[in-house]
Amino acid sequence: MKHRTLYTALAMLIAVSAFATDCLEDGGVFRSSLNCTGLPTIPKFFEVSTFSWGGTDYLALNTGNELSLYRLTDLHPETASFFRVGNQGDSDYDLLNYSFCDGCRYGVATYKMGTVLFDLGMGTAPRFVAKTFHGTSSDPRGAFTFEHGGSQYLLANYLPGDCGGDATLYRFGGLEDLEPIGCLDVPGFSGKFLNGAQLEEYLYLGFYDNRLRVYRVQGTGGGLTLSYTGHDGLRAYMGRGKGFAVDSGLAVTSFVGDGLHVWDVSDPGAPVELGFVPGDFGLAALGGRFAWVAHPLTPDSSRTFYLGDPSHPVELDPGFWAPSHPWNHHSTGDLCEWPTSAVFNGSTMYLARYNVAQAIDFSGCPPPVFADGFDSGATAAWSAVVP
């Protein structure tokens, strides 16, 4: 017992801060615009997300002013929007936020000039079959759609029948049939709603003060209500490029200057912080026990972590992100591969970098095997080897 205690103490003194095995692989670029020129007619890549439709997973990509959808089984380009919303002044890329939900017919996209509600149809694959546009000079910033009890709902700012510009809860009956059913109560804050995430019967909703507030969904139909739980300790930007991600009972949050936080959300109504990594990040993605963070629009700021023990995140393959690698510098001219968003689907992470969108393969990254043979949860600071 004395030997083990001494060894533990020594190991803690020489704690390993990085699981440095070369395990990440470049999965290739699936969309590119290899220049630094920003114009409304030149697509750039700002945000990626996933949703399911008819049992198939799809990737959504914000190309600056429109949305492109890809079938994730083979990255086949499925369809693209033609919303054709005008740009504000000399602005180039005005699609600020969007939201899909799994199996939902309707979606929403917010621009500087207003909000687009769109219909994906009822076919075997999603298609942008119809839209309505609600213009405003008040910069709506964001919206979020979700399903509950067989109905689809929408949270948005500055739509017909709203609560004076504040976040309003609607029930979707169709593009021209939005039923206002309530105003969102945000204690201690009066400002714009941005976007959210659904965790079972709870919603994690982001606002312009960069805090996530947790609400419980109760009731059905026109009687649905959102009850504030009192939890608002999670900081993350939820605009174009999210600092919040969730998977398998864990969540990560990242905010500029506030590091990476790891949360237990196995009880979504009562998130508990488990771990923390200091740093200046702002973007986050999570897949299984792998996390990615980066500083928005800052080259060479990507970092990856293994969360086998969520209370002790271990940096994963830091050398992969070195700017000398060809997968981190695709253009021959100016380097404009600024991270803007990432999302996981299985062991693949899809990364948007302003002028490229690419895949990163995590399948070669097994959990670290600790030299002492103990479980990683009990020996998070011990040296690690890979078989």
Side-chain angles (χ1 to χ4, degrees):
M1 188 69 175
K2 289 182 180 179
H3 292 273
R4 182 174 166 184
T5 302
L6 176 61
Y7 186 60
T8 302
L10 290 172
M12 291 297 288
L13 288 173
I14 56 172
V16 172
S17 61
F19 176 34
T21 185
D22 297 334
C23 65
L24 297 178
E25 294 287 342
D26 174 36
V29 168
F30 63 92
R31 189 79 183 265
S32 66
S33 177
L34 296 179
N35 59 69
C36 294
T37 303
L39 289 172
T41 54
I42 300 176
K44 297 297 180 185
F45 314 116
F46 289 94
E47 186 169 7
V48 283
S49 66
T50 60
F51 69 101
S52 65
W53 181 280
T56 299
D57 291 335
Y58 290 88
L59 180 80
L61 174 64
N62 177 346
T63 59
N65 295 304
E66 300 288 349
L67 291 169
S68 291
L69 304 184
Y70 297 81
R71 192 171 58 218
L72 278 172
T73 52
D74 53 9
L75 276 184
H76 174 74
E78 189 68 48
T79 189
S81 69
F82 293 93
F83 298 149
R84 296 181 181 177
V85 176
N87 293 77
Q88 186 179 69
D90 62 354
S91 178
D92 296 315
Y93 303 112
D94 285 11
L95 176 50
L96 300 178
N97 226 319
Y98 68 88
S99 178
F100 296 84
C101 53
D102 291 341
C104 295
R105 178 174 176 177
Y106 304 106
V108 58
T110 52
Y111 290 78
K112 293 179 181 179
M113 300 284 284
T115 298
V116 172
L117 305 178
F118 55 86
D119 185 348
L120 293 171
M122 300 177 66
T124 57
R127 295 287 186 269
F128 294 98
V129 299
K131 68 166 187 177
T132 60
F133 175 68
H134 298 274
T136 176
S137 60
S138 299
D139 193 1
R141 285 288 168 179
F144 174 64
T145 187
F146 64 97
E147 186 275 336
H148 180 79
S151 294
Q152 187 176 349
Y153 298 89
L154 174 70
L155 279 164
N157 315 297
Y158 302 109
L159 288 181
D162 71 355
C163 302
D166 291 334
T168 306
L169 177 63
Y170 299 87
R171 181 168 63 159
F172 262 118
L175 295 185
E176 304 289 348
D177 182 14
L178 280 181
E179 177 189 0
I181 59 176
C183 304
L184 190 63
D185 178 35
V186 189
F189 177 72
S190 177
K192 293 176 182 177
F193 169 73
L194 292 180
N195 212 314
Q198 184 173 15
L199 283 69
E200 300 174 9
E201 72 269 26
Y202 291 89
L203 302 181
Y204 282 53
L205 302 180
F207 296 82
Y208 212 45
D209 63 349
N210 300 311
R211 291 197 175 274
L212 289 167
R213 293 171 172 83
V214 183
Y215 289 79
R216 185 176 183 181
V217 183
Q218 296 175 295
T220 58
L224 184 131
T225 60
L226 302 180
S227 302
Y228 180 50
T229 65
H231 291 285
D232 67 350
L234 289 76
R235 291 191 76 195
Y237 180 62
M238 293 295 283
R240 185 166 64 187
K242 308 290 187 288
F244 175 73
V246 61
D247 190 24
S248 304
L250 282 185
V252 291
T253 56
S254 173
F255 187 67
V256 175
D258 191 44
L260 166 68
H261 297 259
V262 184
W263 303 83
D264 178 358
V265 291
S266 55
D267 177 0
V272 177
E273 185 167 3
L274 299 176
F276 172 71
V277 177
D280 189 11
F281 308 129
L283 301 170
L286 179 66
R289 290 299 180 262
F290 298 114
W292 168 88
V293 289
H295 190 283
L297 295 173
T298 301
D300 311 321
S301 62
S302 288
R303 294 174 67 184
T304 37
F305 294 88
Y306 174 66
L307 307 180
D309 175 4
S311 63
H312 295 89
V314 179
E315 188 161 10
L316 179 71
D317 198 355
F320 178 85
W321 301 106
S324 57
H325 294 310
W327 55 81
N328 292 321
H329 192 172
H330 295 89
S331 59
T332 57
D334 294 334
L335 177 62
C336 296
E337 297 185 25
W338 310 319
T340 53
S341 176
V343 67
F344 280 85
N345 183 263
S347 61
T348 302
M349 187 182 81
Y350 299 93
L351 174 61
R353 285 175 129 171
Y354 188 70
N355 68 355
V356 298
Q358 67 189 108
I360 308 295
D361 182 9
F362 281 69
S363 63
C365 296
V369 177
F370 289 84
D372 62 345
F374 292 105
D375 291 339
S376 62
T379 61
W382 292 42
S383 60
V385 296
V386 175

